[in-house]
């Protein structure tokens, strides 16, 4: 039997040709593969729309070959445009939110039914909390009724807890797309992407830095397969940066996000940061230093500023 390990941007890293009980699971689990019932295949987590994890792929292939399997590897290094990636991600998140909402509805229905069963079990108990008559012919039935009522109440409590947990998961899933596109989140993502690009360029071009004591640490430029990998990663991250910069530009144009910088804010101005007004004590390249109404000091990135007042002298909460 020939097993085929494939990698493509849209699907991630999968393995075809396995079957239950064929002896491949030990090697796959040992290398971090997981089974997905949804797609009916083993896969490497977090491999979709990313560089292939060649170390895991090659190690898995070697172990499977040592176990007597014929293994082929097919890797497509092409990356999808960020626009397509985000559209696909939004669709998957929407589908997941719908599925979790349906599950929450079913759990609430189950909880309601269990609560009704518990109420019926309680109504079957003697009225007024009548105690068990020890030695009476009704003792056994009375004890059984209490046990059934207790079990029904426990099932009702468990069902209600499960319904609450399902609802929380559904609510989180429903808001996941909004959270991903929150203005501050977008601004932070842009800064991270810029830092990632700078780091990749340093590794591609080589770099040096002076450490304590005057020692100069030199990093040689990347070569060979590593350089090729960095070039692919750099192109993908640059595309992501362009996409999110367009998103932020739209947010600024619509008023959903602010666009402050050292050119728009001066010392002595007030800025609103998470509900509190603070006095600007210093203007920095990427942030402002502030003092709040309680005398606490800190720094606030420009993208986190909610509102701005010019030349106010006192901070207020």
């Amino acid at each position: 039997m020939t097993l085929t390990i494939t990698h493509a941007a849209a699907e991630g890293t999968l393995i075809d040709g396995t079957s239950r009980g064929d002896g491949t699971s030990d090697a796959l689990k040992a290398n971090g593969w997981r089974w997905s019932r949804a797609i009916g295949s083993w896969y490497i987590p977090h491999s979709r729309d990313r560089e292939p994890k060649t170390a895991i792929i090659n190690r898995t292939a070697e172990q499977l070959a040592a176990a007597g399997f014929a293994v082929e590897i097919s890797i497509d290094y092409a990356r999808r445009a960020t626009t397509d990636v985000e559209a696909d991600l939004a669709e998957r998140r929407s589908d997941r939110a719908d599925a979790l909402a349906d599950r929450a509805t079913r759990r609430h229905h189950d909880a309601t039914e269990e609560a009704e069963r518990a109420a019926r079990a309680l109504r079957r108990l003697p009225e007024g909390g009548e105690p068990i008559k020890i030695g009476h012919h009704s003792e056994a039935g009375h004890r059984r009724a209490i046990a059934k009522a207790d079990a029904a109440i426990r099932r009702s409590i468990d069902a209600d807890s499960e319904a609450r947990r399902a609802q929380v998961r559904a609510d989180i899933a429903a808001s996941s797309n909004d959270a991903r596109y929150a203005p501050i989140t977008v601004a932070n993502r842009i800064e991270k992407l810029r830092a990632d690009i700078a780091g990749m360029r340093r590794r591609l071009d080589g770099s040096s830095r002076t450490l304590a004591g005057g020692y100069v640490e030199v990093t040689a430029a990347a070569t060979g397969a590593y350089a090729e990998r960095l070039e692919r990663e750099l192109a993908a991250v640059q595309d992501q940066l362009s996409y999110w910069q367009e998103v932020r530009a739209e947010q600024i144009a619509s008023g959903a996000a602010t666009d402050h910088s050292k050119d728009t804010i001066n010392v002595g101005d007030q800025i609103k940061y998470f509900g509190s007004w603070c006095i600007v004590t210093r203007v920095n390249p990427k942030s402002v230093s502030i003092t709040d109404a309680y005398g606490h000091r800190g720094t606030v990135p420009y993208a986190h500023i909610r509102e701005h007042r010019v030349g106010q002298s006192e901070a207020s909460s």
Side-chain angles (χ1 to χ4, degrees):
M1 178 185 296
T2 300
L3 306 177
T4 304
I5 298 176
T6 62
H7 176 86
E11 294 79 20
T13 306
L14 309 174
I15 183 167
D16 298 324
T18 63
S19 59
R20 182 184 292 273
D22 63 359
T24 58
S25 61
D26 290 341
L28 294 172
K29 290 179 181 178
N31 287 285
W33 293 69
R34 294 181 185 174
W35 173 259
S36 170
R37 288 184 296 176
I39 61 177
S41 174
W42 291 90
Y43 70 99
I44 294 179
H46 311 297
S47 59
R48 182 180 286 158
D49 292 307
R50 298 187 181 184
E51 276 289 301
K53 301 178 181 180
T54 52
I56 295 178
I57 292 172
N58 293 334
R59 187 169 61 246
T60 301
E62 291 172 0
Q63 293 181 9
L64 289 173
F69 295 94
V71 183
E72 296 179 353
I73 299 175
S74 175
I75 296 178
D76 182 1
Y77 290 98
R79 300 286 285 270
R80 295 194 294 174
T82 304
T83 303
D84 297 333
V85 173
E86 289 298 319
D88 188 22
L89 179 60
E91 182 178 358
R92 293 200 310 272
R93 288 188 171 189
S94 179
D95 291 343
R96 183 173 185 271
D98 291 342
L100 289 174
D102 290 342
R103 177 182 293 180
T105 299
R106 293 194 300 271
R107 294 295 181 268
H108 282 299
H109 178 71
D110 294 343
T112 300
E113 289 187 341
E114 291 296 343
E116 292 174 352
R117 292 191 185 98
R120 289 196 297 270
L122 287 173
R123 287 195 295 269
R124 285 193 289 269
L125 294 176
E127 294 183 3
E130 180 180 345
I132 297 174
K133 298 175 181 178
I134 306 300
H136 192 266
H137 66 83
S138 64
E139 178 183 355
H142 197 161
R143 291 187 183 278
R144 285 195 299 272
I146 291 175
K148 289 180 180 179
D150 181 71
I153 292 172
R154 173 48 54 192
R155 287 194 299 271
S156 176
I157 293 172
D158 291 342
D160 183 69
S161 297
E162 181 61 29
R164 291 174 184 271
R165 286 193 293 269
Q167 188 62 56
V168 169
R169 294 184 65 192
D171 292 342
I172 292 173
S175 63
S176 60
N177 278 328
D178 291 339
R180 183 169 178 79
Y181 282 80
I184 290 179
T185 302
V186 171
N188 291 341
R189 185 175 294 117
I190 289 172
E191 288 302 313
K192 181 181 183 304
L193 291 172
R194 285 173 174 163
D196 290 344
I197 289 172
M200 291 177 192
R201 283 178 172 158
R202 285 195 298 271
R203 293 195 292 274
L204 280 167
D205 300 336
S207 63
S208 63
R209 60 174 181 167
T210 303
L211 304 177
Y215 173 74
V216 178
E217 180 184 69
V218 178
T219 301
T223 59
Y226 180 50
E228 293 175 0
R229 182 186 183 96
L230 284 175
E231 290 284 3
R232 292 193 300 269
E233 283 282 6
L234 179 60
V237 175
Q238 286 174 330
D239 184 62
Q240 293 171 24
L241 178 60
S242 297
Y243 174 84
W244 289 110
Q245 284 176 328
E246 291 178 4
V247 171
R248 178 155 177 79
E250 292 175 0
Q251 291 176 338
I252 292 172
S254 67
T258 58
D259 187 26
H260 293 295
S261 68
K262 63 180 181 180
D263 298 325
T264 63
I265 296 180
N266 299 302
V267 174
D269 290 357
Q270 276 194 329
I271 58 102
K272 194 172 188 179
Y273 174 60
F274 285 110
S276 298
W277 286 96
C278 310
I279 296 176
V280 176
T281 58
R282 181 177 177 179
V283 177
N284 309 308
K286 294 185 178 182
S287 64
V288 291
S289 301
I290 56 93
T291 300
D292 65 14
Y294 304 99
H296 301 147
R297 299 179 180 180
T299 58
V300 178
Y302 289 113
H304 293 199
I305 296 174
R306 304 298 178 87
E307 295 181 43
H308 172 225
R309 292 176 181 170
V310 177
Q312 299 293 323
S313 60
E314 295 183 358
S316 59
S317 58

